[in-house]
Amino acid sequence: MARDDETTIFTKILRNEIPCHRVYEDDHVLAFLDINPIARGHTLVIPREPAVTLDQLSAESAAAIGAVLPRIARAVMAATGAKAFNILQNNGAEAHQAVMHVHFHVIPKHADGSGLGIGWKVEKLGDVADLAKAIADAV
Ligand code: AMP
């Protein structure tokens, strides 16, 4: 789904109106270095389609990103020497999305500890049979 307002910073990057360090592009996808990296090689992969969140992205763009993400992850690891990486994908301001254009972070985890830190607070699973059914019905 397209936005009404197509003026995020990533739209400007897609239009070549502001510079970036491009590492990959095709008809559907652009990848470039994050301007505020949390690790050397921190890369952003975005669709050309102006969707805000992943759930709004067309199947065509989603497939294009899915096809190229492993390649970009391999390239980031090859170029930086990282042996591990995280994919981070935030949707909505409450979920820490700052730029309202779908993007995937490829974040290498380096031996010096730089990279994504994760706080993972586990909850009890409880009785989720109805929940599983509700999600399954909605897919
Ligand atoms: P998020 O919190 O998932 O929306 O992350 C947005 C990311 O975009 C942040 O990591 C920013 O550092 C990055 N970013 C913002 N502006 C630019 C820019 N002009 N070039 C490259 N990365 C950017």
Side-chain angles (χ1 to χ4, degrees), residues 52-54 88-92 95-99 101-103 105:
V52 177
T53 52
L54 187 64
L88 176 68
Q89 207 280 310
N90 299 328
N91 297 278
H96 302 284
Q97 184 179 8
V99 178
H101 182 118
V102 171
H103 52 281
H105 297 255

Side-chain angles (χ1 to χ4, degrees), residues 14-108:
L14 283 165
R15 291 178 183 159
N16 285 314
E17 291 170 5
I18 63 168
C20 70
H21 294 283
R22 289 175 188 238
V23 299
Y24 174 84
E25 61 186 311
D26 63 30
D27 288 348
H28 297 285
V29 180
L30 173 68
F32 51 94
L33 297 183
D34 195 295
I35 203 167
N36 286 313
I38 61 170
R40 182 172 165 74
H42 181 170
T43 298
L44 298 174
V45 185
I46 71 172
R48 294 191 186 278
E49 182 182 327
V52 177
T53 52
L54 187 64
D55 52 290
Q56 297 174 352
L57 193 61
S58 70
E60 189 181 23
S61 289
I65 286 197
V68 82
L69 263 177
R71 237 176 109 189
I72 293 172
R74 282 194 294 272
V76 168
M77 288 196 294
T80 64
K83 300 280 186 285
F85 66 97
N86 292 96
I87 300 291
L88 176 68
Q89 207 280 310
N90 299 328
N91 297 278
E94 300 87 344
H96 302 284
Q97 184 179 8
V99 178
M100 294 300 154
H101 182 118
V102 171
H103 52 281
F104 288 75
H105 297 255
V106 179
I107 307 171

